Amino acid sequence: MPSNEIIVVGGGLVGAAIAYGAAKTGAAVTLLDQGDIAHRASRGNFGLVWLQSKGAGFPRYARWSRDAVDHWGPLARELLDLTGVDVDLQQNGGFWIGFSEQEVAERRALLAAIDTDGRTPFEMLNHQELKARLPEIGPRVVGGSWCHLDGHVNPLKLLHALHAGLKLHGGRVFNGVDVHEVGADQGARRFQARSADGRVWRADRIVLAAGLSNDKLASQLGLHAPVLANRGQVLITERLKKFLPYPTNKARQTAEGTVQLGFSVEDVGLDDGTTVAAIEWIARRAVMTFPLLSSVKLVRAWGALRVMTPDGAPIYQESPAFPGAFIATSHSGVSLAGAHAYEIGPWIAGVQPAPDDVGQFAGERFLDPNRKFNNAH
Ligand SMILES: Cc1cc2nc3c(=O)[nH]c(=O)nc-3n(C[C@H](O)[C@H](O)[C@H](O)COP(=O)(O)OP(=O)(O)OC[C@H]3O[C@@H](n4cnc5c(N)ncnc54)[C@H](O)[C@@H]3O)c2cc1C
């Protein structure tokens, strides 16, 4: 039976995809979003739909990522048909670019370790092989890796389409709602979310998908979500004639012709500003990759905060103490949007079983003193 009412706290890419997927099954979804005061990775990301390098040391996450990229084509078509929004999905493969033999060797070892079941396929390419597919690469590019399942989208259009689709499926969206308290009533049959200005919403189920706020909200429902901010700075150029047929981890050309250049990885707390040092580093690296970029104009630079768990993998969990309360957070909200819409949303709505082995994504894994975590990939 679908659950009648679900509150989703957080209207970024994770919350919106789950809310959309739940509403599509017939659930009455209320999405509460903090709005403009919030840190929102969903509005500042790089837009890659990326499989290669996901799931090092975590085979269930590698399999989850593969299923998610397989969902992408149907999701893009469905959103276009339903909302009229084309999210500009291009999923014909993507490249990681390396500048030294050592970097390329490490990449090969990493990808080989992930691809234990043949479902995260990759190919390593030397300079000449890369040049045949990306003619504009510069002489300092040593080699790279390729995965034919990778791609990119316009993440802002994706966010817009998910919100539009949610509303078309009867979902209600409240903006400017800063949820401070979440809890269950007696008997834990109903959940409530209370905003800073005292408004209260109640429902049978609740999902915490509030990005960096999940850390403080989780404990109120017996959950553990140690997410930390990690800043990425991104640059964008003026529109250029099409020269880049595939996305890469250093640059991608959008459907409009601008080139997005990425990205820094910085541990600076909640500071989402930009710095001259990072902008210079990103620009230099982009020019080393594609020398033709040396003469183009940059039109904008921004910083945005990643929502990062200690191992870089998602947390999905129903609260053992408060069944009906869920948490979802992921550092790959673009790549995993299909899994959130087609697997997590229907699970939370009660119409589909939990994804198999979902327990592996529980936040308690970070409490194990014998485990060491690395979110560098
Ligand atoms: C520079 C950069 C590059 C990235 N590149 C990629 C990429 O190429 N591919 C990819 O897959 N992922 C990428 N990501 C990650 C991706 O953007 C995130 O995984 C995704 O945006 C996370 O979505 P979210 O909804 O969990 O969090 P957010 O986008 O941060 O959204 C959280 C939402 O919750 C709301 N909220 C917060 N607190 C409250 C509260 N108390 N009450 C109510 N609402 C609240 C906010 O208003 C916000 O809308 C990148 C991120 C960054 C920063």
Side-chain angles (χ1 to χ4, degrees):
M1 278 289 290
S3 172
N4 283 333
E5 297 171 318
I6 302 172
I7 292 171
V8 179
V9 183
L13 282 171
V14 173
I18 292 171
Y20 169 77
K24 201 182 135 189
T25 71
V29 176
T30 299
L31 187 146
L32 307 176
D33 191 56
Q34 204 175 42
D36 289 340
I37 59 165
H39 295 289
R40 294 183 289 190
S42 300
R43 288 165 192 259
N45 67 67
F46 201 61
L48 296 177
V49 172
W50 216 241
L51 176 63
Q52 54 172 299
S53 79
K54 294 260 164 60
F58 195 162
R60 180 64 186 97
Y61 179 38
R63 189 155 59 83
W64 181 249
S65 302
R66 169 58 199 259
D67 293 343
V69 298
D70 287 349
H71 286 313
W72 245 111
L75 178 66
R77 279 192 295 279
E78 179 178 302
L79 290 172
L80 177 62
D81 291 345
L82 178 66
T83 67
V85 179
D86 184 346
V87 300
D88 297 338
L89 173 67
Q90 185 200 325
Q91 196 176 10
N92 306 321
F95 292 90
W96 169 91
I97 308 277
F99 293 123
S100 71
E101 294 293 353
Q102 188 187 336
E103 219 190 345
V104 172
E106 285 169 5
R107 181 74 177 178
R108 179 193 298 275
L110 172 74
L111 299 192
I114 293 171
D115 187 30
T116 51
D117 60 2
R119 292 192 75 227
T120 314
F122 71 97
E123 207 181 319
M124 297 303 299
L125 304 166
N126 63 27
H127 178 88
Q128 285 73 22
E129 291 163 333
L130 261 183
K131 186 107 183 147
R133 299 197 209 176
L134 295 174
E136 297 297 343
I137 57 164
R140 292 181 65 185
V141 172
V142 166
S145 61
W146 154 260
C147 172
H148 73 276
L149 297 160
D150 289 334
H152 59 151
V153 292
N154 181 321
L156 294 178
K157 287 189 180 176
L158 171 62
L159 188 61
H160 172 52
L162 290 169
H163 276 252
L166 167 63
K167 289 179 190 161
L168 287 166
H169 282 304
R172 299 184 306 161
V173 177
F174 293 86
N175 289 306
V177 179
D178 183 10
V179 174
H180 263 208
E181 272 176 46
V182 286
D185 69 5
Q186 290 154 347
R189 289 226 172 76
R190 299 274 288 169
F191 293 93
Q192 64 183 41
R194 183 184 295 274
S195 64
D197 59 6
R199 287 175 289 167
V200 177
W201 286 264
R202 292 191 173 80
D204 306 328
R205 296 181 177 209
I206 189 166
V207 189
L208 304 180
L212 291 168
S213 297
N214 266 352
D215 190 20
K216 76 170 195 296
L217 294 174
S219 58
Q220 299 177 31
L221 287 168
L223 291 157
H224 182 60
V227 284
L228 282 177
N230 178 279
R231 182 171 71 189
Q233 296 185 49
V234 179
L235 318 180
I236 195 139
T237 71
E238 61 184 328
R239 289 180 191 206
L240 304 178
K241 202 166 139 214
K242 199 79 186 161
F243 76 95
L244 190 47
Y246 304 97
T248 77
N249 66 321
K250 310 237 177 349
R252 71 176 190 97
Q253 191 162 20
T254 68
E256 294 80 24
T258 59
V259 183
Q260 214 171 322
L261 312 177
F263 31 70
S264 61
V265 176
E266 302 165 79
D267 195 359
V268 291
L270 293 178
D271 177 357
D272 63 0
T274 54
T275 62
V276 173
I279 291 172
E280 202 181 333
W281 178 78
I282 294 166
R284 269 186 207 287
R285 207 175 69 148
V287 169
M288 245 160 79
T289 312
F290 299 110
L292 64 72
L293 293 174
S294 65
S295 57
V296 309
K297 286 196 187 75
L298 289 175
V299 294
R300 202 154 81 86
W302 67 84
L305 300 179
R306 297 181 181 89
V307 183
M308 194 59 100
T309 57
D311 61 2
I315 299 173
Y316 309 116
Q317 190 176 8
E318 181 169 13
S319 169
F322 299 97
F326 296 80
I327 191 152
T329 191
S330 162
H331 155 55
S332 296
V334 180
S335 310
L336 300 180
H340 295 156
Y342 292 156
E343 302 199 46
I344 300 293
W347 166 45
I348 288 171
V351 298
Q352 218 166 269
D356 66 279
D357 283 332
V358 74
Q360 291 194 31
F361 292 111
E364 280 77 16
R365 67 187 187 271
F366 302 116
L367 296 172
D368 182 346
N370 299 314
R371 288 180 67 178
K372 289 203 163 37
F373 300 101
N374 174 6
N375 59 21
H377 302 299

